[in-house]
C-alpha cells in the first residue's frame, strides 16, 4: 500500500469496523444472542404459535434499539471525523476551499508530501479512533464489569420492638425479626449498582439525538470553514457565464512573428503581493521579498493598483488549477466521476486548447521542470496532453542522476537543485534550432511554513510566532534565488531571444502566516514580464482588475503574437486595454458564477 493512499483506506476501514463493532457488540452482548438465534431458526408456524403480543413488542423494541444504535454510531463517526478533518484542513491549508479539497481527494495522492499525510493521521484519524473507542467502551464495556457487592453497616438504635417477646409457658421463643435500625447485614447495594451504570444508560438514551446534533453541526461547520456550499453550487446550480464569455482559441486567428522568442515561465509557489511592505502595496511590516520588488521595478508588471498589486485567482486557488487558468484561460471544476476517470485515463480537460498546444503547433518544444512528483494533482497528465511537455520531475531527476535514488526532502528536492538543473537544461535547449518553452514550478515556499534549505538565512524576526518568522525567511531566500536565476539568464547569449514570465501559481495557503492581516486586504498574484517582444502602454498596466485567466493571452502577446479579438478562453489580452471579466462583471459576481454548474463547460472540455 502506498503511503499516499493511506487516507482513503483508513476512512473506509474506520467506517466498516465501527459499524460492525457497534452492531455485534450490541446484538451479542447486550441482548440475549442465544435466544435471538433460537427464535430465528424456528419454523414460522411454530414461531407464530409461541409468540404473543408482548414478546412481539419486545422483539420489535430490540430491533428498533439495534437500528437506532447503528444509525447513531454511523452519524457520530461521520460527525467526529468531519470535525477533526475540518480542524486539520484549517490548521494546515488555511484558505483552502471545498472545491480544492474535493479535487485533491479525487486525484491520485501519489506525490503528496509525506509530512502532510502523517499530520492528517495525527490530527484526524487517531483522534477519531480514540473518541469513538472511548464512547463505545463507556456505553458497552463498563456495564459488563462485575459489580463488587457492597457491605452496608448500620448502627443499631434502641427500639422497644427489638426486645425479645417472651413465649407462652412451655413454648418456644418467638424469633426476633431484625428492624431497620438494628440491621447489619452484608448485601449487594442495588443503589450503588444503579449509580455505577447510570452514566452508560444515560449515554445510550442520548446517543442518537446527540449524534444527530453533532452531525448537523459538523455539516454547518464545514460550510462555515471550507464553503461546503460551493460543491452544491457546482453540481446543482446552473450558470451560462462561461458559455457567454468563453472564446475558443481554435476559432481565433493567432499569428506568430517570423522570429519567435523563447519563453521561460516561472511559477513561484504561493507568491502573492502580500509579502511586500505595506507602502509597496503589500501587508508586511518589512519587505520580505525585496529582490522580487527589484525585478518588478526593472521590468514590466501588471497591477491592480499603482503599487505592486496583481491578479485575482478567482476559483483557481491551488497549484494545478492556477496553472490551468494561466495556460488555458479556464477554471478546474468538480465533475462527479470525471476527476477520478481523468486520473485513471491519464488526462485532464482533454478537449481544452491551451498555451502549450499553441506553442507546439508553432514549432516550440515544451518542458516542465518541478521539484516534486508531477503525478500529484494530475499535473503530468495536463501538461503531457496539452503540448506534449517533457516532464522533468523528482523521479526523472533520479533517473538522470541529478539526485541520488534515496534523496528526498520536503516534496522531493529543493529549489536550489531545481535552478541549477534548469540552468543546464536551458543551455541544452538554447543550442537547438527550435524555439523552446521552459516552465518551472518552485516548491520551497509551499505551506506549512516552507522548507529551510541549506542556503536559507535568518533574515527576518518580525513576528511573535516562530513559524511565521520561518515562512518569512523561506520567502526571503526564495526571492534571492529567483533574482540570481533571472540575473544568470540575462547574462546568457540566448537571453536576447527569450521572454521571461513570473507569476504566483496561487495565493499562499499557510494557515498561520496571515492571521494578523487586515481582513479587507486584497491578496493578489504578481504578474511580471521580462524582455517582451512588445511593450504595453504604461496606463494599461496599472489599476487593472484582472485574473489568472488574462495571463494566458497576455503571455502570447508578450512573445509578439497577434491575437484576433484579443481574447482567449476567459482571458483578455491586457496589452489591449479591453475590459476583463473582473472589470466587466466585478470580482464577486464573476467568482460566484464560476463556482456554478456549467453544462457548456462539461460538454466542451470533457
Amino acid at each position: 500500500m502506498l503511503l499516499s493512499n493511506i487516507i482513503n483506506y483508513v476512512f473506509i476501514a474506520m467506517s466498516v469496523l465501527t459499524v460492525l463493532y457497534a452492531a455485534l457488540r450490541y446484538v451479542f452482548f447486550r441482548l440475549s444472542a442465544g435466544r435471538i438465534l433460537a427464535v430465528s431458526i424456528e419454523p414460522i408456524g411454530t414461531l407464530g404459535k409461541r409468540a404473543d403480543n408482548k414478546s412481539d413488542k419486545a422483539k420489535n423494541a430490540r430491533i428498533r434499539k439495534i437500528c437506532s444504535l447503528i444509525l447513531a454510531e454511523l452519524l457520530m463517526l461521520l460527525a467526529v471525523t468531519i470535525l477533526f478533518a475540518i480542524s486539520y484542513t484549517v490548521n494546515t491549508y488555511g484558505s483552502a476551499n471545498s472545491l480544492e479539497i474535493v479535487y485533491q481527494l479525487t486525484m491520485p495522492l501519489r506525490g503528496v508530501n509525506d509530512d502532510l499525510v502523517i499530520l492528517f493521521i495525527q490530527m484526524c484519524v487517531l483522534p477519531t479512533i480514540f473518541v469513538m473507542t472511548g464512547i463505545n467502551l463507556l456505553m458497552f464495556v463498563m456495564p459488563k464489569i462485575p459489580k463488587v457487592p457492597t457491605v452496608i453497616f448500620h448502627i443499631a438504635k434502641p427500639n422497644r420492638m427489638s426486645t425479645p417477646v417472651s413465649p407462652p409457658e412451655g413454648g418456644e421463643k418467638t424469633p426476633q425479626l431484625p428492624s431497620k435500625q438494628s440491621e447489619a447485614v452484608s448485601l449487594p447495594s442495588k443503589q450503588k449498582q444503579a449509580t455505577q451504570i447510570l452514566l452508560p444508560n444515560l449515554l445510550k438514551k442520548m446517543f442518537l439525538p446527540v449524534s444527530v446534533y453533532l452531525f448537523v453541526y459538523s455539516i454547518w461547520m464545514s460550510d462555515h470553514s471550507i464553503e461546503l456550499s460551493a460543491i452544491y453550487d457546482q453540481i446543482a446550480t446552473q450558470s451560462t457565464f462561461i458559455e457567454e464569455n468563453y472564446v475558443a482559441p481554435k476559432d481565433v486567428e493567432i499569428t506568430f512573428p517570423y522570429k519567435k522568442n523563447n519563453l521561460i515561465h516561472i511559477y513561484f509557489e504561493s507568491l502573492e503581493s502580500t509579502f511586500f511592505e505595506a507602502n509597496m502595496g503589500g501587508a508586511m511590516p518589512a519587505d520580505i521579498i525585496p529582490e522580487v520588488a527589484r525585478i518588478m521595478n526593472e521590468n514590466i508588471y501588471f497591477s491592480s493598483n499603482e503599487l505592486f498589486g496583481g491578479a485575482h485567482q478567482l476559483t483557481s486557488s491551488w497549484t494545478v488549477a492556477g496553472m490551468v487558468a494561466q495556460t488555458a484561460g479556464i477554471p478546474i471544476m468538480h465533475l462527479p466521476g470525471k476527476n477520478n476517470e481523468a486520473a485513471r485515463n491519464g488526462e485532464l480537460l482533454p478537449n481544452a486548447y491551451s498555451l502549450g498546444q499553441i506553442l507546439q503547433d508553432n514549432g516550440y518544444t515544451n518542458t516542465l521542470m518541478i521539484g516534486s512528483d508531477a503525478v500529484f494533482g494530475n499535473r503530468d497528465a495536463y501538461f503531457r496532453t496539452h503540448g506534449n511537455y517533457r516532464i522533468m520531475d523528482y523521479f526523472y531527476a533520479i533517473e538522470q542522476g541529478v539526485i541520488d535514488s534515496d534523496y528526498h526532502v520536503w516534496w522531493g528536492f529543493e529549489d536550489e537543485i531545481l535552478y541549477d538543473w534548469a540552468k543546464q537544461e536551458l543551455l541544452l535547449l538554447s543550442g537547438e534550432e527550435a524555439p523552446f518553452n521552459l516552465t518551472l514550478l518552485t516548491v520551497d515556499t509551499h505551506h506549512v511554513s516552507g522548507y529551510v534549505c541549506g542556503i536559507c538565512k535568518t533574515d527576518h524576526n518580525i513576528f511573535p510566532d516562530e513559524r511565521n518568522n520561518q515562512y518569512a525567511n523561506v520567502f526571503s531566500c526564495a526571492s534571492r534565488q529567483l533574482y540570481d536565476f533571472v540575473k544568470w539568464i540575462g547574462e546568457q547569449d540566448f537571453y536576447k531571444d527569450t521572454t521571461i514570465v513570473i507569476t504566483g501559481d496561487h495565493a499562499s495557503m499557510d494557515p498561520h502566516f496571515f492571521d494578523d492581516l487586515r481582513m479587507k486586504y486584497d491578496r493578489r498574484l504578481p504578474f511580471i514580464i521580462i524582455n517582451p517582444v512588445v511593450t504595453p502602454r504604461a496606463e494599461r498596466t496599472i489599476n487593472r482588475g484582472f485574473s489568472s485567466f488574462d495571463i494566458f493571452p497576455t503571455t502570447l502577446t508578450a512573445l509578439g503574437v497577434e491575437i484576433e479579438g484579443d481574447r482567449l478562453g476567459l482571458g483578455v489580452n491586457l496589452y489591449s486595454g479591453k475590459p476583463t471579466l473582473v472589470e466587466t462583471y466585478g470580482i464577486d459576481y464573476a467568482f460566484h458564477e464560476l463556482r456554478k454548474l456549467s453544462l457548456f463547460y462539461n460538454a466542451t472540455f470533457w
Side-chain angles (χ1 to χ4, degrees):
M1 181 191 301
L2 294 174
L3 180 61
S4 59
N5 291 322
I6 286 179
I7 296 175
N8 293 330
Y9 290 111
V10 167
F11 268 122
I12 296 172
M14 285 172 56
S15 302
V16 174
L17 290 176
T18 303
V19 173
L20 285 178
Y21 171 80
L24 293 175
R25 181 72 188 175
Y26 198 87
V27 171
F28 292 104
F29 290 92
R30 288 300 292 166
L31 301 178
S32 176
R35 289 178 57 192
I36 293 176
L37 293 175
V39 170
S40 65
I41 62 176
E42 290 186 27
I44 295 177
T46 305
L47 182 62
K49 293 177 181 179
R50 295 183 57 184
D52 53 17
N53 291 336
K54 187 174 181 180
S55 62
D56 286 343
K57 291 180 179 179
K59 292 171 190 174
N60 291 335
R62 286 195 293 269
I63 292 174
R64 286 195 298 270
K65 287 181 180 179
I66 294 172
C67 294
S68 174
L69 179 65
I70 294 175
L71 176 61
E73 286 275 359
L74 182 59
L75 290 177
M76 180 62 74
L77 173 65
L78 290 172
V80 172
T81 303
I82 290 171
L83 290 173
F84 280 122
I86 291 172
S87 176
Y88 163 81
T89 301
V90 171
N91 285 282
T92 306
Y93 294 92
S95 60
N97 59 54
S98 57
L99 298 178
E100 175 190 350
I101 294 169
V102 169
Y103 176 82
Q104 297 293 4
L105 289 177
T106 55
M107 287 291 106
L109 291 180
R110 184 187 128 187
V112 67
N113 186 347
D114 290 348
D115 291 343
L116 294 179
V117 177
I118 294 172
L119 191 60
F120 176 82
I121 294 173
Q122 292 174 341
M123 294 184 63
C124 181
V125 177
L126 293 180
T128 300
I129 293 175
F130 292 153
V131 170
M132 295 304 298
T133 301
I135 291 174
N136 282 285
L137 286 174
L138 191 59
M139 289 196 302
F140 301 119
V141 176
M142 279 186 63
K144 292 299 180 181
I145 298 176
K147 306 299 183 298
V148 179
T150 304
V151 178
I152 300 179
F153 293 93
H154 298 280
I155 300 175
K157 296 181 180 179
N159 191 319
R160 57 186 177 86
M161 294 301 297
S162 63
T163 304
V165 179
S166 298
E169 186 176 349
E172 297 182 356
K173 290 184 178 181
T174 303
Q176 177 187 350
L177 296 176
S179 67
K180 292 183 179 180
Q181 287 83 356
S182 62
E183 183 178 10
V185 183
S186 297
L187 293 173
S189 172
K190 299 295 184 181
Q191 183 179 1
K192 184 68 175 179
Q193 290 184 24
T195 303
Q196 289 176 334
I197 65 174
L198 178 61
L199 182 58
N201 284 338
L202 180 62
L203 283 176
K204 287 180 183 178
K205 291 179 181 179
M206 297 299 296
F207 194 30
L208 181 58
V210 170
S211 298
V212 171
Y213 169 78
L214 284 179
F215 178 72
V216 173
Y217 174 76
S218 69
I219 298 300
W220 176 86
M221 197 65 179
S222 300
D223 187 50
H224 178 74
S225 303
I226 59 174
E227 296 182 282
L228 194 64
S229 57
I231 298 177
Y232 175 82
D233 288 341
Q234 205 158 93
I235 294 176
T237 308
Q238 291 190 31
S239 171
T240 59
F241 183 79
I242 294 179
E243 181 177 4
E244 293 169 357
N245 292 280
Y246 180 77
V247 175
K250 285 187 176 180
D251 297 338
V252 172
E253 184 176 348
I254 299 174
T255 307
F256 276 75
Y258 176 76
K259 184 174 178 54
K260 299 169 183 174
N261 254 28
N262 305 309
L263 172 64
I264 299 175
H265 191 158
I266 304 171
Y267 289 93
F268 190 127
E269 172 65 47
S270 302
L271 177 66
E272 56 178 276
S273 58
T274 312
F275 294 101
F276 295 116
E277 196 171 4
N279 60 10
M280 301 169 65
M284 296 294 108
D287 188 8
I288 293 174
I289 49 176
E291 293 81 10
V292 176
R294 182 175 178 182
I295 293 173
M296 295 179 74
N297 276 322
E298 295 174 352
N299 296 280
I300 294 168
Y301 64 90
F302 290 87
S303 176
S304 52
N305 50 44
E306 295 182 356
L307 301 172
F308 291 155
H312 287 285
Q313 61 185 9
L314 287 177
T315 58
S316 305
S317 57
W318 66 101
T319 297
V320 68
M323 299 175 90
V324 168
Q326 295 182 34
T327 56
I330 57 175
I332 290 181
M333 305 179 73
H334 171 64
L335 278 70
K338 279 294 185 182
N339 291 342
N340 249 333
E341 180 183 341
R344 290 194 300 270
N345 297 337
E347 59 184 18
L348 178 63
L349 302 171
N351 296 325
Y353 191 61
S354 67
L355 174 68
Q357 291 159 290
I358 294 173
L359 295 177
Q360 181 189 21
D361 292 345
N362 285 273
Y364 282 72
T365 60
N366 295 317
T367 304
L368 172 68
M369 299 185 72
I370 59 178
S372 57
D373 186 352
V375 169
F376 180 67
N378 228 13
R379 295 172 298 186
D380 66 327
Y382 174 73
F383 284 99
R384 187 173 286 115
T385 58
H386 291 79
N388 194 29
Y389 282 73
R390 183 161 57 115
I391 310 295
M392 303 175 70
D393 63 353
Y394 169 72
F395 288 104
Y396 186 84
I398 292 176
E399 293 174 6
Q400 299 299 310
V402 176
I403 56 176
D404 295 334
S405 58
D406 60 347
Y407 188 86
H408 189 280
V409 300
W410 199 227
W411 286 76
F413 58 85
E414 62 269 45
D415 294 344
E416 181 183 5
I417 295 177
L418 177 69
Y419 283 128
D420 287 341
W421 192 19
K423 291 176 183 178
Q424 300 174 30
E425 185 63 22
L426 282 169
L427 293 176
L428 294 175
L429 290 171
S430 63
E432 299 176 358
E433 292 185 5
F436 63 81
N437 164 33
L438 176 64
T439 299
L440 299 178
L441 171 63
T442 67
V443 73
D444 284 1
T445 48
H446 200 283
H447 68 91
V448 177
S449 299
Y451 176 72
V452 181
C453 69
I455 60 175
C456 192
K457 302 175 183 177
T458 305
D459 296 321
H460 300 280
N461 188 24
I462 55 180
F463 301 101
D465 192 323
E466 183 178 343
R467 292 173 301 184
N468 288 350
N469 287 320
Q470 174 176 312
Y471 204 41
N473 291 330
V474 169
F475 259 93
S476 183
C477 181
S479 176
R480 289 194 304 272
Q481 291 185 71
L482 174 68
Y483 182 83
D484 291 343
F485 181 63
V486 170
K487 182 179 178 182
W488 177 88
I489 294 174
E491 296 169 351
Q492 308 308 307
D493 292 338
F494 62 81
Y495 172 70
K496 63 182 184 299
D497 301 319
T498 302
T499 298
I500 304 172
V501 172
I502 302 172
T503 62
D505 56 341
H506 56 77
S508 174
M509 290 182 280
D510 192 273
H512 313 294
F513 193 77
F514 305 97
D515 289 342
D516 298 328
L517 275 184
R518 302 189 302 272
M519 293 300 294
K520 294 184 178 181
Y521 180 77
D522 195 2
R523 297 165 63 181
R524 304 287 189 95
L525 312 179
F527 176 26
I528 310 167
I529 301 177
I530 303 172
N531 195 33
V533 174
V534 181
T535 301
R537 293 166 55 179
E539 66 271 17
R540 294 178 179 174
T541 63
I542 59 174
N543 295 319
R544 299 297 306 270
F546 67 104
S547 70
S548 301
F549 304 137
D550 302 309
I551 294 175
F552 173 29
T554 307
T555 297
L556 284 170
T557 302
L559 294 174
V561 177
E562 294 182 4
I563 302 171
E564 178 189 8
D566 291 309
R567 296 184 61 197
L568 293 176
L570 295 174
V572 172
N573 170 23
L574 296 175
Y575 279 72
S576 68
K578 292 184 178 179
T580 65
L581 290 184
V582 174
E583 291 169 336
T584 301
Y585 298 100
I587 183 62
D588 290 337
Y589 181 81
F591 177 79
H592 288 292
E593 289 300 307
L594 287 169
R595 296 201 323 180
K596 295 179 181 178
L597 170 66
S598 171
L599 299 179
F600 170 81
Y601 178 98
N602 299 352
T604 302
F605 305 120
W606 288 98

